[in-house]
Amino acid sequence: MKTALQEMTQYWRLYLLTLVLGFGGSLQYGVQVSIMASPAEHVQSFVNQTWLGRYDVPVGESTNTLIWSFIVSIFSLGGWAGAVHSGSLPVKYGRKKALLFNNVVAIVAAVFMILSRTAKSFEMILIGRFLYGYNVGLGLSVHLMYVGESSPKKLRGFLTLTCSIFIGLGKLLGQVVGIKELMGTEDMWPYLLAVSGLPAILQFVSLLFFPEAPRYLYIDKGDEDGCKKALHWLWQEDDLKLELEDMRKEREKAQGEKAKTVLDVLKSRCVRWQLLALAIPCAGVQFCGINALYFYAFDIFRESGVEEDKMHYLSLGIGATELITVIICAFVIDRAGRKKLMGFGYLMMGVIMSVLIVMLTIKDMYTWVPYFNIALIFSVICVYGLGPSGVSMCLPADLFLQAWRPSAYVVSGTINWLSLFAIGMLFPYIVEGLGQFCFLIFVAYCIFSAAFMLYFIPETKGKTMVEITEDFNKLNFKNRGTEIEKGDFVLATKF
C-alpha cells in the first residue's frame, strides 16, 4: 500500500499539469468575475471623456450606464460563444492545441485593453471583454476535459475539483490586485484589465512541455502508443492494464458510429438523466443565489457600521472564505462523495437563506441583527464552497463518456453563461421589486436541487466511466429493457 507521500511523488507531473491548466483555465474566470468592480468608476469616466472628445458633449447618464452594463454583460456572451466551440475545437484539434489557441485569444484581449486608452476607444474594451469571455468559456470546458481525461479514477474527483479552487483563487486575486494600493487607480486601470494576459502567457509556454490528454489519444485518435507514453510520463506507472482496458472497451463500442452532437445529447434517452444531473444542480448553479449574496453583502456591511473605505477589504474576507472552503472540499470529496456534498450543501444553503430572509425583514427591530446577518452570509459562502461550488465542477466530468462529453459541455456552458447573463441583466430589477424576498427564488432552487441530487442521482466516486453509465442506465431505461436504443449507446467521438 502506497503512502500519501509516495502517491504525491509518483503523480507530481500530473499535479503540475493540473496547476498549469488551472492558471490558464478556471483562474481566468474568477479574475474576470471580480476584477471589474474596482475600475468601474475609472472606466465610466473614460467613456465620458471619449464621448466628449468625439461629440463635444458629455455622455448622458443613462447612456453611460448602458455602455457600462454592456461592458460587464458582454463577457457572458463571449463565454457562451467559447462554450459552443468547446464541442468542436478540442475534438478536432485536441485538448492541448485548443488551449494553446485559447491563450492567444486572451493575450489579444489584453493588448486591446492596454491600448484602449491610447486609442481613445471604449469599443476596444468591449472587444477585449468579449474575447476574455470567449477565453473563459472555452477554457473552462477544455480545462475540465483535459484534467479529467488525464487522471486516474482515484484522483479524478480531487483534480477536477481544483477547477473550483482556481476560480476561488481568481476571485480573490482579482479583488487583491484591484485595491487602490496596487492597480485600482486611474493611471493603472488599463493594465488592471489586461492582467489576464499574464496567466495566458504562462500557460501557453508551460503547456508545450506536456502531452495530450491520454484518453483523447486512445479513444478519439486510436493512438495506443501515444496514450501509453502520455500515461507513463504523467503517472510514472508501468502497470496500465486496467486503465487501457477501460479505454479499449469505450473505443470498441464506438467503431463505425457517428459523432454525437448537441442535438443527440438533448434527444437521446440513454443520457437523459445525465443531462438532468448536468443541467439542474451543476450548470444551473448560478441560480443558487451566491451572486445575490455578494450583491447584498455591501448593504449588510453598511448597516452594521462598516466604513465605506473598509468595504473592499471585508469583501476580501468573503473571497478568502470561499477559496478556503473549496480547498477543504477538494480533500473530502473522494471520501464523502459528490452526491452528499452537493445534495446536503444545497439543502443547508436553502435553510440558511430562509433564515436570512427573516432576519433582513426584522433588521431594524434589534441592533444585533445586522451582525447576525454578516454571520449568515459567511455561513452560506462556507456551505457553497464545501459543496455546490466544487462538486458542480467535478461531477460533469463523471457523467458522460468520451463520445458525449464535448457536446455535453456545450449544453452545460450554454445554460451556465446564458443564466449568468440573464441574472446580471434582470437581478437589479428583481431586487427593486422584491427586496430581500428575491432570495425566495434561490431558496426554491436550492431545495429542489437538493431533493433531486439526494433522491435520484447515483454516487459516482471511485467508479469508472462505464460503471457510472451502467448506474444511470437503470434510470434512463427504467421499466424498459436496456436493449432499447442500444445502438444509441456510443462511447467515442469522431469529427
Side-chain angles (χ1 to χ4, degrees):
M1 183 69 70
K2 294 180 180 179
T3 65
L5 181 60
Q6 288 174 326
E7 282 200 352
M8 186 177 296
T9 303
Q10 177 184 342
Y11 293 107
W12 71 269
R13 287 173 176 167
L14 179 60
Y15 295 141
L16 186 59
L17 172 63
T18 304
L19 184 67
V20 170
L21 293 176
F23 268 100
S26 55
L27 179 87
Q28 301 280 46
Y29 174 79
V31 169
Q32 289 301 317
V33 165
S34 64
I35 207 168
M36 291 304 294
S38 177
E41 179 183 352
H42 306 308
V43 173
Q44 291 182 62
S45 175
F46 170 70
V47 170
N48 187 47
Q49 292 173 7
T50 303
W51 194 280
L52 182 62
R54 291 179 184 177
Y55 306 109
D56 294 325
V57 293
V59 65
E61 184 177 349
S62 60
T63 304
N64 198 0
T65 302
L66 180 63
I67 293 173
W68 169 248
S69 298
F70 199 54
I71 288 174
V72 174
S73 60
I74 198 173
F75 173 75
S76 300
L77 297 180
W80 180 33
V84 169
H85 284 156
S86 69
S88 56
L89 289 179
V91 174
K92 186 174 182 179
Y93 300 105
R95 283 46 168 163
K96 180 177 176 179
K97 289 182 179 178
L99 286 180
L100 291 174
F101 163 75
N102 200 40
N103 290 320
V104 174
V105 173
I107 294 169
V108 171
V111 172
F112 270 91
M113 293 300 190
I114 291 176
L115 296 179
S116 61
R117 184 166 60 184
T118 304
K120 297 181 179 179
S121 171
F122 62 82
E123 292 86 355
M124 294 180 70
I125 300 178
L126 286 168
I127 295 172
R129 283 286 288 174
F130 180 85
L131 292 176
Y132 274 145
Y134 183 93
N135 167 261
V136 172
L138 179 61
L140 271 175
S141 297
V142 181
H143 176 184
L144 286 169
M145 290 184 209
Y146 204 148
V147 73
E149 295 169 8
S150 301
S151 307
K153 66 178 182 180
K154 62 184 177 182
L155 294 175
R156 192 173 65 232
F158 169 75
L159 292 181
T160 53
L161 191 143
T162 58
C163 184
S164 287
I165 293 178
F166 280 105
I167 289 177
L169 180 61
K171 288 180 181 178
L172 185 60
L173 180 63
Q175 291 172 330
V176 170
V177 297
I179 62 176
K180 59 185 179 181
E181 289 82 0
L182 294 178
M183 302 180 74
T185 63
E186 187 174 358
D187 294 332
M188 294 295 292
W189 68 260
Y191 303 98
L192 175 62
L193 298 183
V195 75
S196 287
L198 296 178
I201 294 172
L202 177 63
Q203 187 185 74
F204 185 92
V205 174
S206 302
L207 207 55
L208 297 173
F209 300 95
F210 288 91
E212 180 58 87
R215 296 185 74 87
Y216 170 80
L217 290 173
Y218 195 135
I219 299 172
D220 287 70
K221 294 300 182 183
D223 185 1
E224 184 174 354
D225 290 336
C227 174
K228 287 180 180 179
K229 291 178 181 178
L231 286 174
H232 182 72
W233 192 86
L234 289 170
W235 297 4
Q236 299 188 79
E237 189 172 316
D238 294 323
D239 186 10
L240 301 170
K241 291 182 180 179
L242 292 177
E243 191 70 24
L244 292 172
E245 179 65 18
D246 182 47
M247 295 185 203
R248 184 186 63 79
K249 289 179 181 178
E250 290 194 33
R251 180 167 174 78
E252 282 181 355
K253 292 184 180 182
Q255 297 301 314
E257 296 287 350
K258 64 178 182 179
K260 292 303 173 184
T261 64
V262 171
L263 190 60
D264 292 326
V265 174
L266 295 175
K267 292 176 60 177
S268 181
R269 184 185 181 91
C270 66
V271 291
R272 183 169 300 171
W273 279 91
Q274 290 97 313
L275 180 62
L276 289 173
L278 179 74
I280 297 173
C282 295
V285 72
Q286 298 292 343
F287 294 105
C288 74
I290 196 67
N291 291 324
L293 278 176
Y294 276 99
F295 178 83
Y296 251 96
F298 288 94
D299 289 335
I300 295 174
F301 294 157
R302 192 174 294 110
E303 291 167 3
S304 302
V306 178
E307 297 177 11
E308 289 290 335
D309 60 344
K310 304 296 182 183
M311 293 282 189
H312 196 72
Y313 300 101
L314 194 54
S315 70
L316 292 178
I318 294 180
T321 300
E322 182 179 341
L323 175 60
I324 292 170
T325 51
V326 171
I327 292 174
I328 295 173
C329 179
F331 288 99
V332 302
I333 189 169
D334 285 319
R335 294 177 181 270
R338 285 73 156 155
K339 179 176 180 175
K340 290 182 179 179
L341 280 178
M342 176 169 271
F344 287 111
Y346 272 131
L347 181 61
M348 291 180 66
M349 285 183 69
V351 171
I352 296 172
M353 282 192 288
S354 298
V355 176
L356 182 61
I357 293 172
V358 176
M359 292 295 103
L360 287 171
T361 305
I362 64 171
K363 62 185 179 182
D364 297 324
M365 298 176 64
Y366 305 98
T367 57
W368 54 267
V369 170
Y371 301 98
F372 185 68
N373 288 341
I374 291 178
L376 289 175
I377 287 179
F378 275 90
S379 297
V380 176
I381 297 295
C382 287
V383 175
Y384 173 74
L386 286 171
S389 176
V391 181
S392 64
M393 288 296 173
C394 73
L395 185 60
D398 294 344
L399 295 176
F400 293 90
L401 293 163
Q402 195 80 2
W404 305 86
R405 193 173 296 121
S407 293
Y409 276 116
V410 172
V411 176
S412 175
T414 297
I415 296 172
N416 189 27
W417 287 106
L418 291 185
S419 61
L420 180 63
F421 179 77
I423 289 175
M425 295 298 291
L426 298 177
F427 184 68
Y429 301 100
I430 295 174
V431 172
E432 184 179 351
L434 298 178
Q436 69 269 21
F437 294 103
C438 69
F439 283 102
L440 287 173
I441 300 171
F442 308 126
V443 169
Y445 169 81
C446 288
I447 299 298
F448 176 76
S449 295
F452 180 80
M453 281 296 300
L454 295 173
Y455 283 99
F456 295 107
I457 302 304
E459 182 55 73
T460 63
K461 71 168 183 175
K463 297 179 181 178
T464 66
M465 301 294 183
V466 175
E467 290 171 343
I468 293 170
T469 302
E470 290 172 353
D471 287 341
F472 272 99
N473 276 344
K474 296 174 184 177
L475 296 171
N476 293 325
F477 300 106
K478 191 175 182 180
N479 300 324
R480 298 180 64 178
T482 55
E483 293 300 317
I484 296 176
E485 298 190 28
K486 184 177 179 182
D488 222 8
F489 185 69
V490 185
L491 304 176
T493 313
K494 294 182 182 179
F495 276 81

